[in-house]
Each structure stands twice: as C-alpha cells, then as structure tokens.
Coordinates of all heavy atoms in Angstrom, one line a residue:
W1483 N 157.5 -57.1 88.2 CA 158.3 -57.0 87.0 C 159.8 -57.3 87.3 O 160.4 -58.1 86.5 CB 158.2 -55.6 86.4 CG 159.1 -55.3 85.2 CD1 159.0 -55.7 83.9 CD2 160.4 -54.6 85.3 NE1 160.1 -55.2 83.2 CE2 160.9 -54.5 84.0 CE3 161.1 -53.9 86.4 CZ2 162.1 -53.9 83.7 CZ3 162.3 -53.3 86.1 CH2 162.8 -53.3 84.8
N1484 N 160.3 -56.8 88.4 CA 161.7 -57.0 88.7 C 162.0 -58.5 89.1 O 163.0 -59.0 88.8 CB 162.1 -56.1 89.9 CG 163.5 -56.1 90.2 OD1 164.4 -55.9 89.3 ND2 163.9 -56.3 91.4
K1485 N 161.0 -59.1 89.8 CA 161.1 -60.5 90.2 C 161.2 -61.4 89.0 O 161.8 -62.5 89.2 CB 159.9 -60.9 91.1 CG 159.9 -60.4 92.5 CD 160.7 -61.4 93.4 CE 160.6 -61.1 94.8 NZ 161.4 -62.1 95.7
L1486 N 160.7 -61.1 87.9 CA 160.7 -62.0 86.8 C 162.0 -62.0 86.1 O 162.3 -62.9 85.3 CB 159.6 -61.5 85.8 CG 159.1 -62.6 84.8 CD1 158.5 -63.7 85.5 CD2 158.1 -62.0 83.8
S1487 N 162.9 -61.0 86.3 CA 164.2 -61.0 85.7 C 165.0 -62.3 85.9 O 164.8 -62.9 87.1 CB 165.0 -59.8 86.2 OG 166.3 -59.8 85.6
P1488 N 165.7 -62.9 85.0 CA 166.1 -62.2 83.7 C 165.1 -62.5 82.5 O 165.4 -62.1 81.4 CB 167.4 -63.0 83.4 CG 167.2 -64.4 83.9 CD 166.4 -64.2 85.2
Y1489 N 164.0 -63.1 82.8 CA 162.9 -63.2 81.8 C 162.2 -61.8 81.6 O 162.3 -61.0 82.5 CB 161.9 -64.2 82.2 CG 162.5 -65.6 82.4 CD1 162.8 -66.1 83.6 CD2 162.7 -66.4 81.3 CE1 163.3 -67.4 83.8 CE2 163.3 -67.7 81.4 CZ 163.6 -68.2 82.7 OH 164.1 -69.4 82.8
K1490 N 161.6 -61.7 80.4 CA 160.9 -60.5 80.1 C 159.4 -60.6 80.5 O 158.8 -61.6 80.3 CB 161.0 -60.2 78.6 CG 162.4 -59.9 78.1 CD 162.4 -59.7 76.6 CE 163.8 -59.4 76.1 NZ 163.8 -59.2 74.6
A1491 N 158.9 -59.5 81.1 CA 157.5 -59.5 81.4 C 156.7 -59.1 80.2 O 156.4 -57.9 80.0 CB 157.2 -58.5 82.6
T1492 N 156.4 -60.0 79.3 CA 155.7 -59.7 78.1 C 154.2 -59.6 78.2 O 153.6 -58.9 77.5 CB 156.0 -60.8 77.0 OG1 155.5 -62.1 77.5 CG2 157.5 -61.0 76.8
T1493 N 153.7 -60.3 79.3 CA 152.3 -60.4 79.4 C 151.8 -60.4 80.9 O 152.5 -61.0 81.7 CB 151.7 -61.7 78.8 OG1 152.3 -61.9 77.5 CG2 150.2 -61.7 78.7
F1494 N 150.8 -59.6 81.2 CA 150.1 -59.6 82.5 C 148.8 -60.3 82.3 O 148.0 -59.8 81.4 CB 150.0 -58.2 83.1 CG 151.2 -57.6 83.6 CD1 151.2 -56.2 83.9 CD2 152.4 -58.3 83.8 CE1 152.4 -55.6 84.4 CE2 153.5 -57.8 84.3 CZ 153.5 -56.4 84.6
I1495 N 148.4 -61.2 83.1 CA 147.1 -61.8 83.1 C 146.5 -61.4 84.4 O 146.9 -61.7 85.5 CB 147.1 -63.4 83.0 CG1 147.9 -63.8 81.8 CG2 145.7 -63.9 82.9 CD1 148.2 -65.3 81.7
A1496 N 145.4 -60.6 84.3 CA 144.9 -60.0 85.6 C 143.4 -60.2 85.7 O 142.6 -60.3 84.7 CB 145.1 -58.5 85.5
S1497 N 142.9 -60.3 87.0 CA 141.5 -60.4 87.3 C 140.8 -59.0 87.0 O 141.5 -58.0 86.9 CB 141.3 -60.8 88.7 OG 141.8 -59.8 89.6
V1498 N 139.5 -59.0 86.9 CA 138.8 -57.8 86.7 C 139.1 -56.7 87.7 O 139.4 -55.6 87.4 CB 137.3 -58.1 86.5 CG1 136.5 -56.7 86.4 CG2 137.1 -58.9 85.3
P1499 N 139.0 -57.1 89.0 CA 139.3 -56.1 90.0 C 140.7 -55.5 89.9 O 141.0 -54.4 90.2 CB 139.1 -56.8 91.4 CG 138.1 -57.9 91.0 CD 138.5 -58.3 89.6
A1500 N 141.7 -56.4 89.6 CA 143.1 -56.0 89.5 C 143.2 -55.0 88.3 O 144.0 -54.0 88.4 CB 144.0 -57.2 89.3
I1501 N 142.5 -55.3 87.2 CA 142.6 -54.3 86.1 C 142.0 -53.0 86.5 O 142.5 -51.9 86.1 CB 141.9 -54.9 84.9 CG1 142.7 -56.1 84.3 CG2 141.7 -53.9 83.8 CD1 142.1 -56.8 83.1
A1502 N 140.9 -53.0 87.2 CA 140.3 -51.8 87.7 C 141.3 -51.0 88.5 O 141.4 -49.7 88.4 CB 139.0 -52.1 88.5
D1503 N 142.0 -51.7 89.4 CA 143.1 -51.0 90.2 C 144.1 -50.4 89.3 O 144.6 -49.2 89.5 CB 143.7 -52.0 91.2 CG 142.8 -52.4 92.3 OD1 141.8 -51.7 92.5 OD2 143.1 -53.4 93.0
M1504 N 144.6 -51.1 88.3 CA 145.6 -50.7 87.4 C 145.2 -49.4 86.7 O 146.0 -48.5 86.4 CB 146.0 -51.8 86.5 CG 146.7 -53.0 87.2 SD 146.9 -54.4 86.1 CE 148.1 -53.8 84.9
L1505 N 144.0 -49.4 86.3 CA 143.5 -48.2 85.5 C 143.4 -47.0 86.4 O 143.3 -45.8 85.9 CB 142.1 -48.5 84.9 CG 142.1 -49.4 83.7 CD1 140.7 -49.8 83.4 CD2 142.8 -48.8 82.5
S1506 N 143.4 -47.2 87.7 CA 143.3 -46.1 88.7 C 144.7 -45.6 89.1 O 144.8 -44.5 89.8 CB 142.5 -46.5 89.9 OG 141.2 -46.8 89.6
I1507 N 145.8 -46.3 88.7 CA 147.1 -45.9 89.1 C 147.5 -44.6 88.4 O 147.3 -44.5 87.2 CB 148.1 -47.0 88.8 CG1 147.8 -48.3 89.7 CG2 149.6 -46.6 89.0 CD1 148.6 -49.5 89.4
T1508 N 148.1 -43.7 89.1 CA 148.5 -42.4 88.5 C 149.3 -42.5 87.3 O 149.1 -41.8 86.3 CB 149.2 -41.6 89.6 OG1 148.4 -41.4 90.7 CG2 149.6 -40.2 89.0
E1509 N 150.3 -43.5 87.3 CA 151.2 -43.7 86.1 C 150.5 -44.1 84.9 O 151.0 -44.0 83.8 CB 152.3 -44.7 86.5 CG 153.3 -44.2 87.4 CD 152.9 -44.1 88.9 OE1 151.7 -44.6 89.2 OE2 153.6 -43.6 89.7
F1510 N 149.2 -44.6 85.0 CA 148.4 -45.0 83.8 C 147.5 -43.9 83.4 O 146.8 -44.0 82.4 CB 147.6 -46.2 84.2 CG 148.3 -47.5 84.3 CD1 148.7 -48.0 85.5 CD2 148.7 -48.2 83.2 CE1 149.4 -49.1 85.7 CE2 149.4 -49.4 83.3 CZ 149.8 -49.8 84.5
K1511 N 147.5 -42.7 84.0 CA 146.5 -41.7 83.8 C 147.1 -40.5 82.9 O 146.4 -39.5 82.8 CB 146.0 -41.2 85.1 CG 145.1 -42.1 85.8 CD 144.4 -41.5 87.0 CE 143.4 -42.4 87.6 NZ 142.8 -41.8 88.8
D1512 N 148.2 -40.7 82.3 CA 148.7 -39.6 81.5 C 147.8 -39.5 80.3 O 147.1 -40.4 79.9 CB 150.2 -39.7 81.1 CG 150.4 -40.9 80.3 OD1 150.2 -40.8 79.1 OD2 150.8 -42.0 80.8
S1513 N 147.9 -38.4 79.6 CA 146.9 -38.2 78.4 C 147.1 -39.2 77.3 O 146.1 -39.6 76.8 CB 147.2 -36.7 77.9 OG 148.5 -36.6 77.4
N1514 N 148.3 -39.6 77.0 CA 148.5 -40.6 75.9 C 147.9 -41.9 76.3 O 147.3 -42.6 75.5 CB 150.0 -40.7 75.6 CG 150.6 -39.5 75.0 OD1 149.9 -38.8 74.3 ND2 151.9 -39.2 75.2
A1515 N 148.1 -42.3 77.6 CA 147.6 -43.6 78.0 C 146.0 -43.6 77.9 O 145.4 -44.5 77.5 CB 148.0 -43.9 79.4
G1516 N 145.4 -42.4 78.4 CA 144.0 -42.3 78.4 C 143.4 -42.4 77.0 O 142.4 -43.0 76.7
Q1517 N 144.1 -41.7 76.0 CA 143.6 -41.7 74.6 C 143.7 -43.1 74.0 O 142.8 -43.5 73.3 CB 144.4 -40.7 73.8 CG 144.2 -39.2 74.2 CD 145.1 -38.3 73.4 OE1 145.8 -38.7 72.6 NE2 145.0 -37.0 73.7
S1518 N 144.8 -43.8 74.3 CA 144.9 -45.1 73.8 C 143.9 -46.1 74.3 O 143.3 -46.8 73.6 CB 146.3 -45.7 74.1 OG 146.4 -47.0 73.7
F1519 N 143.6 -46.0 75.6 CA 142.6 -46.9 76.2 C 141.2 -46.6 75.7 O 140.5 -47.5 75.3 CB 142.6 -46.8 77.7 CG 141.6 -47.7 78.4 CD1 141.8 -49.1 78.5 CD2 140.5 -47.2 79.0 CE1 140.9 -49.9 79.1 CE2 139.6 -48.0 79.6 CZ 139.8 -49.3 79.7
H1520 N 140.8 -45.4 75.7 CA 139.5 -45.0 75.2 C 139.3 -45.3 73.7 O 138.2 -45.6 73.2 CB 139.2 -43.6 75.5 CG 139.0 -43.3 77.0 ND1 138.0 -43.9 77.7 CD2 139.7 -42.5 77.8 CE1 138.1 -43.5 79.0 NE2 139.2 -42.7 79.1
G1521 N 140.4 -45.1 72.9 CA 140.3 -45.3 71.5 C 140.4 -46.8 71.0 O 139.8 -47.2 70.1
T1522 N 141.2 -47.6 71.8 CA 141.5 -49.0 71.3 C 141.1 -50.0 72.3 O 141.0 -51.2 72.0 CB 142.9 -49.2 71.0 OG1 143.7 -49.1 72.2 CG2 143.4 -48.1 70.0
G1523 N 140.8 -49.6 73.6 CA 140.5 -50.5 74.6 C 141.8 -51.2 75.2 O 141.7 -52.1 76.0
K1524 N 143.0 -50.8 74.7 CA 144.2 -51.4 75.2 C 144.9 -50.5 76.2 O 145.0 -49.3 76.0 CB 145.1 -51.7 74.0 CG 144.6 -52.7 73.0 CD 145.6 -52.9 71.9 CE 145.1 -53.9 70.9 NZ 146.1 -54.1 69.8
M1525 N 145.3 -51.1 77.3 CA 146.0 -50.4 78.3 C 147.4 -50.2 78.0 O 148.0 -51.0 77.2 CB 145.9 -51.2 79.7 CG 144.6 -51.3 80.3 SD 144.6 -52.2 81.8 CE 145.9 -51.3 82.7
I1526 N 148.0 -49.1 78.5 CA 149.5 -48.9 78.4 C 150.1 -49.2 79.7 O 149.6 -48.7 80.7 CB 149.8 -47.5 77.9 CG1 149.3 -47.2 76.5 CG2 151.3 -47.2 78.0 CD1 149.5 -45.9 76.0
T1527 N 151.1 -50.1 79.8 CA 151.7 -50.4 81.0 C 153.1 -49.8 81.0 O 153.7 -49.5 79.9 CB 151.9 -51.9 81.3 OG1 152.9 -52.4 80.4 CG2 150.6 -52.6 81.0
P1528 N 153.7 -49.5 82.2 CA 155.0 -48.9 82.2 C 156.1 -49.8 81.7 O 157.2 -49.4 81.4 CB 155.2 -48.7 83.7 CG 153.9 -48.8 84.3 CD 153.1 -49.7 83.5
F1529 N 155.7 -51.1 81.5 CA 156.7 -52.1 81.1 C 156.5 -52.6 79.6 O 157.3 -53.4 79.2 CB 156.7 -53.3 82.0 CG 156.4 -53.0 83.5 CD1 155.2 -53.3 84.1 CD2 157.3 -52.2 84.2 CE1 155.0 -53.0 85.4 CE2 157.1 -51.8 85.5 CZ 155.9 -52.2 86.1

C-alpha cells in the first residue's frame, strides 16, 4: 500500500491462495469484518 503512493490503492487483485492468507490475518478477524464477509462475501481491508 505504501509503495503505491502517491496513487491510491483502490483495488487488490489476488490469487485464491493469497486471499486465503488475507482472511487468516488477525487484522481481518474483528467481529465487524467477519460479519461483513459472511453476510455479503466482501472482505474488509485495512485500506
């Protein structure tokens, strides 16, 4: 995210294994993030 500056990181395009890793990251595991993913299938990213 920092390397992309001064452009905005609007989109991540990720492989299936990379997405599985992202879903296991602690910062993605708060209750709001979990509810959003299970309810809509959309991940919440820190950015």
Side-chain angles (χ1 to χ4, degrees):
W1483 171 80
N1484 190 51
K1485 280 277 190 179
L1486 201 61
S1487 179
Y1489 298 101
K1490 296 179 180 179
T1492 62
T1493 312
F1494 286 167
I1495 306 172
S1497 64
V1498 173
I1501 290 178
D1503 288 346
M1504 293 169 69
L1505 288 171
S1506 300
I1507 294 174
T1508 302
E1509 285 77 7
F1510 287 99
K1511 288 185 174 181
D1512 65 83
S1513 58
N1514 290 333
Q1517 289 176 6
S1518 176
F1519 179 72
H1520 292 297
T1522 67
K1524 295 182 179 180
M1525 292 177 57
I1526 294 179
T1527 74
F1529 324 112

